[in-house]
DNA sequence: TTCATACTTTGGTTAGCATCGAACTATGAA
DNA sequence: TTCATAGTTCGATGCTAACCAAAGTATGAA
């Protein structure tokens, strides 16, 4: 009964269409203002404000003020993971009639999952790194190997800074579209940042879809082969 | 927006206290009748009936008639996984005030997760089997090794029958209390069944807690050491 | 200071839905 | 058949919460 109450409390926060749309938008990983989230959810500002207050009180969102803006973001990876798992069930149950449209296909290929790369590209990358011993999978844990630390430093990531933070460098995250793991953690986030900086990929605006540029695609595939 | 609607639809099913209590009860893995679930949720039969209809329509529950009884069970492992992940967030956010009571401690040590062993005992078992090469962890997948097939057959499990079914023999399942993986799949389920048959463990009634019998504890630890 | 923008608070309306009692259906037992 | 148990359907009630408009607060710009 206690378990049920907790369950209901969290789930009911997600269970409202307006709030769910906000949360889905925040799965993109970038913090958004109250107005942007109101737009996203299709409600007026006052309504959005009330919803955001509830989500923050409930611990699902974190807010930071910046001048007269208030930026909202998901409270953490665990929340993002929970949302993914609910989406997974919805995806399993949902496609009674509709076959995956072009948008869904793009999502399946590559998308942002909070702050790192997910979809087929993310899974392929995870597997390739594991095969090259850049990361070591031990049970549920994923760890950076020495080889990996050297390699990723050479790729332009500040591995030392990552190691000092509390956030795990490597984590595996279950992919709802492919049902396999991809790489999360600060390494996963750092890699995606780097891909964007190198113009290998571009975020499609107002969506979680990640598009590879033609040279980016080539470079990414080379990376996986030769890592 | 579409993503948000799907999300909300599923989450709102879980977001009602009565329904959440029913789902939490079904996390025990055993199918329960409508009356039992009504008791569990603390509502009258008509109310429970309406809730169960909604959960079934929503695809979260599966129902089988048996005489004048109707047994309800979770629709599948994905649903169970989703519930665990929501519980995980609740557990992370919840313990503002309360420190874990004796019941929670017992849950942390060993509990049933749908149909297999979870908690510290489950994680220890998973690690021990991996260390002995009875199971092989490859990325997100877990596979039974030949050594494992022989070993578990000797332990009294019908491995051949498991291999023929569609359900994966091995699967890893993330543990919310320990944040590590434990063994799910038909092997995980089969092992728990065997432990119960051998009287190594006992289910505490009306809860997910698993209690080791004193000889069972000894035998279990021996199993982990010598597997 | 004055105006504009970003957001929150308040107040009041509305809609949905959780709930129960009572009546109805179906299965099993005597 | 008749009675009992298990469950569903129906109708009515009441509460919650989602919603918006309007007024209020806070920050930045002119």
């Amino acid at each position: 009964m206690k378990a049920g109450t907790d369950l209901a409390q969290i789930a009911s926060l997600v269970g409202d269409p307006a709030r769910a749309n906000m949360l889905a938008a925040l799965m993109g990983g970038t913090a958004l203002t109250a107005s942007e989230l109101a737009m996203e959810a299709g409600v007026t500002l006052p309504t959005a404000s009330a919803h955001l207050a509830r989500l923050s009180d409930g611990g699902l969102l974190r807010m930071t003020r910046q001048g007269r803006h208030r930026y909202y973001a998901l409270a953490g990876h665990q929340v993002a993971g929970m949302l993914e798992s609910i989406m997974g069930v919805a995806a399993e149950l949902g496609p009674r009639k509709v076959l995956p449209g072009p948008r869904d296909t793009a999502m399946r290929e590559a998308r942002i999952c909070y702050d790192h790369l997910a979809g087929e590209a993310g899974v392929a990358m995870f597997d390739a790194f594991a095969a090259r011993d850049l990361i070591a999978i031990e049970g549920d844990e994923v760890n950076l190997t020495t080889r990996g630390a050297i390699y990723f430093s050479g790729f332009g990531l500040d591995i030392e800074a990552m190691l000092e933070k509390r956030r795990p460098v490597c984590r595996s995250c279950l992919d709802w579209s492919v049902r396999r793991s991809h790489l999360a953690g600060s390494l996963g986030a750092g890699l995606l940042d780097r891909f964007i900086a190198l113009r290998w990929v571009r975020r499609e605006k107002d969506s979680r879809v990640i598009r590879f540029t033609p040279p980016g695609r080539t470079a990414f595939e080379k990376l996986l082969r030769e890592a």
Side-chain angles (χ1 to χ4, degrees), chain A:
Chain A
M1 36 191 70
K2 177 74 164 38
T5 312
D6 293 349
L7 204 56
Q9 214 156 3
I10 300 296
S12 68
L13 285 175
V14 187
D16 172 81
R19 285 195 295 267
N21 276 313
M22 293 174 173
L23 291 168
L26 290 172
M27 280 295 284
T30 53
L32 298 171
T33 65
S35 316
E36 288 171 323
L37 289 166
M39 284 286 293
E40 201 68 45
V43 294
T44 60
L45 242 186
T47 304
S49 182
H51 283 307
L52 290 168
R54 290 192 60 177
L55 288 170
S56 299
D57 286 349
L60 262 44
L61 256 42
R62 208 165 15 82
M63 189 260 288
T64 54
R65 293 162 206 262
Q66 220 163 98
R68 51 184 166 181
H69 292 281
R70 290 177 179 210
Y71 281 94
Y72 291 88
L74 296 186
H77 295 83
Q78 205 164 11
V79 174
M82 172 188 77
L83 294 174
E84 277 269 326
S85 100
I86 301 174
M87 285 179 186
V89 171
E92 178 84 352
L93 265 32
R96 297 175 216 284
K97 17 197 140 177
V98 202
L99 36 158
R103 178 60 158 287
D104 284 346
T105 311
M107 284 275 271
R108 233 165 269 274
E109 278 171 9
R111 67 176 183 281
I112 197 169
C113 173
Y114 189 50
D115 62 2
H116 53 269
L117 186 65
E120 283 160 19
V123 170
M125 188 171 79
F126 184 82
D127 290 347
F129 290 166
R132 308 282 171 188
D133 265 334
L134 301 180
I135 56 177
I137 296 150
E138 282 148 24
D140 183 50
E141 287 195 13
V142 181
N143 291 304
L144 186 65
T145 61
T146 312
R147 253 178 75 75
I150 295 166
Y151 181 81
F152 291 121
S153 291
F155 188 62
L157 300 183
D158 187 351
I159 299 292
E160 281 188 46
M162 290 180 186
L163 289 167
E164 276 166 22
K165 302 231 167 135
R166 240 182 324 166
R167 182 177 175 194
V169 175
C170 295
R171 256 190 64 245
S172 67
C173 178
L174 189 61
D175 205 298
W176 60 259
S177 53
V178 191
R179 307 265 192 92
R180 304 267 310 276
S181 284
H182 58 249
L183 186 64
S186 53
L187 178 61
L191 281 167
L192 179 59
D193 282 348
R194 197 83 187 101
F195 293 163
I196 292 171
L198 291 169
R199 315 237 175 228
W200 287 11
V201 300
R202 230 180 29 246
R203 296 197 48 180
E204 195 168 274
K205 97 173 157 66
D206 297 334
S207 106
R208 296 172 61 191
V209 170
I210 298 274
R211 298 256 180 219
F212 277 87
T213 59
R217 164 76 61 190
T218 312
F220 179 75
E221 282 169 0
K222 183 153 172 273
L223 176 77
L224 297 197
R225 276 197 314 274
E226 306 182 355

